[in-house]
Amino acid sequence: MTIQKTNRRNFLKLAAAAGGGLWLGFNWSSTDATPIKIATNAEATSSALIDFNGYLSISPDGVITIFSPNPEVGQNIKTTFPMIVADELDADWAKVKVLQAPLDSTKFERQVTGGSGAIPHSWERLRKAGATARHMLVEAASKKLNASVSELTTDKSFVIHAGSGRKLSYGELASEAMNVPVPTEVKLKDRKDFKLIGKLIPNVDNHEMITGKPLYGLDFYREGMLFAMIQRPTAFGMKIKTADLTAIKAMPGIVDVVTFKNNVAIVGKSTWQVMKARKKLKVDYEPEGKLESTEDHNRIFKELLESKDAAVKRKDGDVDAAFSKAAKVITREYQCPFLPHNTMEPMNFFAHVREDGVELIGPTQTPDLARTETAKLLGIPPEKVTVNMTRLGGGFGRRLKADYATEAAELSSIIKAPVKVIWTREDDMMGGYYRPAVRYRFSAALDDKGNMIGYKLRGAGINAGNSTREDNFPAGAVDNLLIESIEHQSPITSCPWRAPITNFLAYAEQSFLDEVAGEAKQDPVQFRLNLLQKAKQSPVGAMKYDVDRMIGVTKLAAEKANWGKKNDVFQGFSVYFSHRSYVAQVAEVAMVQGKPVLKKIFAAADCGIVVNLSGSYQQVRGGIIDGLGHAMFGNLTFNAGAVQQNNFNNYRLIKFKEVPEIEVDFVDNGIDPTGLGEPALPPTGGAVANALFKATGKRIYEQPFIKQEGMGDVNISRNL
């Protein structure tokens, strides 16, 4: 049993406003880590009584409630958080419910969805919350049953005295527990005693999602609010020259037409009326800067890769000497395009700017950023801005930005009315934020025995920031290593895209390592294991990855796929560490009527303790499908600053029938949970590309794969 210390600053009791009951607040910040229903006054009564960061409640009827502070974007946090508390509490899961908390930076430390960090940050705090409540309930039962604590056990929201057969429900004990001192130390369960953690638990919002109940920002409606769509510049680097607003102002249902900054907003009484008016809008634009095209980016990449201005991110040993004495040098380049996020739910946000404050409601991964940016825009204190979060219909990093929330606030301040701004799919794809375009140059130096004695990587990005991860594998496994990064600033906006940077870096690196293994005449899996063994025995410099965990997933994936022992398929391997977790994959390609067909992907994941097996399977499979689809098809191009693909009729996404069989296994090592929302995506492209090489003899150096000669015939239909 693990003993965890706490104190009264972490745990505060207070009487429930109605009918007694135990309300236990717990401090998240000490851990490193309907129309839309916003909590009613009755449900939120306790939060008005004390200053805390989150709470667990047990009402007299036995219902257990948790306010979930993190935005729910599909990563299943709204189910997983209460599971952790309920398990330590020994609660009856059927009586557990969770509500989305509003933004409150005094009560919550990390109200962010990003970086696959929610569970790693909150794991211990959630367990302590449940364990503390359980302790207090048992103490209350001890007095009521006149039995010692050691004689009592808990199960499914009951405290049980086995000797007499008596038991008391948590609801019956809740008021009595108010008189029990809050413990300074609590015992957490042994892992073997978990009852919910590690099981297949359905998403708590499943019923609402399946039956079409309002959950998302686009569902939000308030009587009297207006609807708006905004015409933004048609190309990056353009500004409004003239705008003829006369014709649309008189159209049915149109309340106002507003020009602000570089935008024209059409405001009306319904979405349909606003959409019709927008089609009649006439705006002329003129350049205000460089209008870049994809051809410009290709030229820029070549210049960046040859530039002497690259920033050195890491240098180990004498790289020049290693390459000068090498028996063989392999150099390859890999390139990826900009990509849109293409969330199922386009951007939207509700704002009501009043004299006494601002109300924001909508889907955001960073509610505090929406608040601070709105306060800055309007020149008011942040505490005058409230933010309530709806469920997000996808985020993938796009909703880390606050632009769509602040434009709603700005428009509301201009028209003096509550308004919901809605983006169309075309708005999202043509004027949003994108995954940065990147080109990598890798070089490896081999000695005459096939050992990699030197390694170089230069990342050239367009609005990518540092396009490398200099302390990830194979850093630490090569004596002489140089990693550099250089960037071009473009008017084309970018932001994190699921598994930022690593989403393409992993593909490029793992494809390159496979090619190096081939030149060294070594099996690709064994080549990586040899490097990892070197990093374990004689590490060079800093390493952010755990060698043993990386070896573990490598061996597990190879074992599950029966690596190298099949004659009917061609196998490709990839392994990557990101967001604290490790995923290895084996892709299998068969030649059918002379064409390569992707048949199956095996995945081995090490994310520590798997909290919700259902959600975890979905995160791994979803990440693989996302990585596969974008590696195969995703391509956003520009002509004079204008996006050339504006909807799904000309932007290729993976189709349901194209999803191959996916087999997922988890490493069972018992360590605290690490991230899982993103780590399964990065290895996918490399595994598939390496399998395609085995099948066709052709290496792939660009995404999307179908763009490369000879890869248009790849079939990833599971129906074959």
Side-chain angles (χ1 to χ4, degrees):
M1 306 291 280
T2 304
I3 305 297
Q4 295 290 343
K5 293 188 176 182
T6 185
N7 55 48
R8 289 183 181 272
R9 295 186 67 181
N10 287 354
F11 292 90
L12 300 173
K13 291 183 300 178
L14 65 158
L22 171 63
W23 296 83
L24 182 66
F26 54 95
N27 187 336
W28 300 71
S29 62
S30 63
T31 303
D32 183 24
T34 74
I36 292 299
K37 182 180 180 182
I38 308 303
T40 65
N41 288 338
E43 291 165 332
T45 299
S46 64
S47 67
L49 298 179
I50 62 168
D51 182 20
F52 56 83
N53 292 331
Y55 67 83
L56 152 70
S57 69
I58 302 176
S59 64
D61 64 1
V63 174
I64 300 165
T65 303
I66 291 179
F67 268 87
S68 180
N70 289 53
E72 173 58 70
V73 69
Q75 82 281 38
N76 212 40
I77 205 66
K78 199 174 175 183
T79 303
T80 306
F81 271 17
M83 277 181 62
I84 299 169
V85 177
D87 205 320
E88 285 290 348
L89 184 60
D90 267 340
D92 180 354
W93 181 246
K95 291 190 175 183
V96 173
K97 70 174 182 178
V98 62
L99 297 176
Q100 178 67 58
L103 173 67
D104 192 329
S105 56
T106 63
K107 298 174 183 176
F108 302 100
E109 171 70 12
R110 187 185 182 276
Q111 287 187 273
V112 174
T113 289
S116 301
I119 296 299
H121 280 275
S122 303
W123 166 252
E124 182 180 315
R125 176 58 57 213
L126 292 164
R127 294 187 68 191
K128 289 167 68 175
T132 300
R134 175 167 48 86
H135 170 94
M136 296 165 68
L137 290 161
V138 170
E139 289 283 354
S142 173
K143 295 177 182 179
K144 207 164 184 177
L145 295 172
N146 194 25
S148 68
V149 169
S150 62
E151 298 177 80
L152 302 177
T153 58
T154 56
D155 185 45
K156 291 187 177 180
S157 295
F158 281 93
V159 179
I160 303 164
H161 183 247
S164 64
R166 293 177 296 168
K167 64 180 182 179
L168 294 170
S169 72
Y170 286 179
E172 294 175 278
L173 293 167
S175 295
E176 298 286 342
M178 286 299 304
N179 300 316
V180 174
V182 178
T184 57
E185 295 183 354
V186 291
K187 290 183 178 180
L188 301 183
K189 282 184 176 181
D190 286 334
R191 184 187 173 201
K192 63 180 175 59
D193 296 323
F194 287 156
K195 297 173 182 176
L196 292 171
I197 293 171
K199 301 297 191 297
L200 290 156
I201 304 295
N203 189 304
V204 294
D205 283 338
N206 271 354
H207 181 265
E208 286 76 10
M209 288 188 286
I210 292 170
T211 57
K213 297 294 190 300
L215 288 170
Y216 301 91
L218 283 175
D219 297 326
F220 177 80
Y221 175 79
R222 177 174 293 169
E223 189 69 31
M225 78 178 189
L226 298 173
F227 298 84
M229 289 186 174
I230 296 177
Q231 178 65 48
R232 300 168 189 84
T234 55
F236 291 92
M238 299 286 277
K239 65 179 180 178
I240 294 176
K241 182 179 181 182
T242 60
D244 183 358
L245 312 180
T246 307
I248 63 173
K249 284 186 175 181
M251 292 183 68
I254 300 304
V255 174
D256 205 348
V257 183
V258 177
T259 301
F260 66 103
K261 293 184 178 173
N262 217 10
N263 304 320
V264 179
I266 302 99
V267 184
K269 296 180 180 179
S270 74
T271 305
W272 178 243
Q273 290 170 321
V274 169
M275 290 178 69
K276 288 178 67 177
R278 185 180 180 183
K279 292 179 180 179
K280 300 288 186 180
L281 180 63
K282 296 179 180 179
V283 183
D284 290 327
Y285 296 92
E286 61 184 357
E288 64 174 348
K290 173 67 174 174
L291 303 179
E292 295 181 352
S293 299
T294 298
E295 290 73 18
D296 297 317
H297 299 152
N298 292 333
R299 172 183 52 79
I300 289 167
F301 280 137
K302 292 179 181 179
E303 294 173 354
L304 294 177
L305 289 177
E306 301 302 331
S307 173
K308 297 181 179 180
D309 297 327
V312 175
K313 296 298 181 180
R314 176 169 179 154
K315 187 174 183 180
D316 297 329
D318 191 335
V319 178
D320 290 340
F323 274 83
S324 66
K325 68 179 182 181
K328 182 177 290 187
V329 172
I330 305 101
T331 299
R332 300 291 184 267
E333 294 183 9
Y334 302 81
Q335 184 169 317
C336 71
F338 286 97
L339 289 182
H341 295 76
N342 280 333
T343 59
M344 182 174 289
E345 175 193 28
M347 301 305 108
N348 65 90
F349 229 80
F350 168 85
H352 189 188
V353 178
R354 310 178 306 269
E355 288 188 4
D356 61 337
V358 179
E359 183 183 16
L360 299 176
I361 300 173
T364 172
Q365 293 179 243
T366 51
D368 191 51
L369 181 64
R371 177 177 64 178
T372 56
E373 289 294 309
T374 296
K376 181 180 177 181
L377 173 73
L378 301 177
I380 60 175
E383 54 267 24
K384 283 190 170 291
V385 182
T386 64
V387 184
N388 280 284
M389 291 162 276
T390 62
R391 190 178 178 99
L392 285 68
F396 313 118
R398 173 63 181 94
R399 286 187 161 104
L400 291 171
K401 304 294 290 185
D403 57 300
Y404 57 100
T406 56
E407 69 181 9
E410 185 168 9
L411 181 57
S412 177
S413 72
I414 294 170
I415 65 175
K416 309 298 182 186
V419 63
K420 182 162 77 169
V421 172
I422 299 173
W423 292 44
T424 64
R425 177 64 58 196
E426 288 83 1
D427 291 334
D428 249 0
M429 292 188 67
M430 298 181 69
Y433 288 74
Y434 310 106
R435 179 186 80 171
V438 180
R439 190 173 181 90
Y440 292 110
R441 176 182 289 168
F442 292 84
S443 294
L446 300 178
D447 65 16
D448 56 5
K449 296 180 181 178
N451 299 310
M452 189 161 68
I453 58 173
Y455 181 88
K456 292 193 290 189
L457 164 62
R458 172 175 287 199
I462 299 176
N463 288 355
N466 177 17
S467 57
T468 68
R469 293 293 182 264
E470 59 272 12
D471 295 330
N472 284 7
F473 180 80
V478 186
D479 292 330
N480 308 289
L481 177 142
L482 174 65
I483 298 180
E484 302 172 306
S485 181
I486 189 168
E487 180 175 49
H488 167 72
Q489 294 292 334
S490 168
I492 298 171
T493 50
S494 66
C495 73
W497 190 95
R498 191 176 187 179
I501 301 301
T502 60
N503 58 65
F504 179 69
L505 175 58
Y507 149 72
E509 171 205 285
Q510 291 296 305
S511 295
F512 179 67
L513 288 179
D514 239 52
E515 194 160 356
V516 174
E519 294 288 345
K521 295 181 173 49
Q522 296 184 32
D523 173 80
V525 171
Q526 191 59 50
F527 181 74
R528 290 168 175 83
L529 288 172
N530 291 342
L531 286 171
L532 287 165
Q533 197 60 39
K534 183 179 186 306
K536 182 176 182 178
Q537 294 176 349
S538 53
V540 181
M543 295 188 303
K544 287 188 176 178
Y545 60 97
D546 183 304
V547 174
D548 287 329
R549 293 179 70 187
M550 203 162 190
I551 290 174
V553 293
T554 297
K555 290 184 175 180
L556 180 59
E559 174 191 337
K560 293 295 181 179
N562 204 14
W563 174 263
K565 299 176 182 178
K566 296 180 178 179
N567 298 319
D568 56 338
V569 292
F570 299 91
Q571 296 179 314
F573 181 83
S574 178
V575 60
Y576 208 75
F577 155 73
S578 67
H579 298 90
R580 310 173 188 84
S581 293
Y582 304 76
V583 179
Q585 295 178 24
V586 175
E588 294 188 339
V589 170
M591 294 301 291
V592 179
Q593 297 178 350
K595 296 180 179 180
V597 177
L598 178 62
K599 289 288 191 178
K600 187 172 183 176
I601 294 177
F602 294 85
D606 178 356
C607 58
I609 292 172
V610 174
V611 180
N612 185 351
L613 193 57
S614 174
S616 297
Y617 276 136
Q618 292 179 45
Q619 286 302 301
V620 174
R621 290 178 176 135
I624 289 172
I625 294 167
D626 200 4
L628 171 62
H630 283 91
M632 288 294 303
F633 308 117
N635 192 25
L636 198 72
T637 59
F638 293 82
N639 182 25
V643 174
Q644 299 300 287
Q645 297 78 23
N646 64 356
N647 210 317
F648 297 144
N649 63 312
N650 53 21
Y651 182 87
R652 178 78 155 86
L653 288 172
I654 191 171
K655 300 174 183 177
F656 184 71
K657 70 176 183 178
E658 294 173 330
V659 177
E661 181 182 354
I662 299 172
E663 181 178 314
V664 180
D665 290 280
F666 293 99
V667 173
D668 184 11
N669 54 19
I671 68 172
D672 286 354
T674 50
L676 196 57
E678 291 158 289
L681 187 151
T684 304
V688 173
N690 291 334
L692 287 171
F693 166 74
K694 292 282 188 66
T696 67
K698 297 176 182 177
R699 290 285 180 189
I700 302 174
Y701 298 103
E702 285 190 54
Q703 289 185 358
F705 292 173
I706 59 171
K707 180 181 176 182
Q708 188 149 324
E709 183 180 356
M711 289 299 151
D713 289 333
V714 177
N715 193 317
I716 56 174
S717 173
R718 66 180 182 178
N719 294 328
L720 289 180

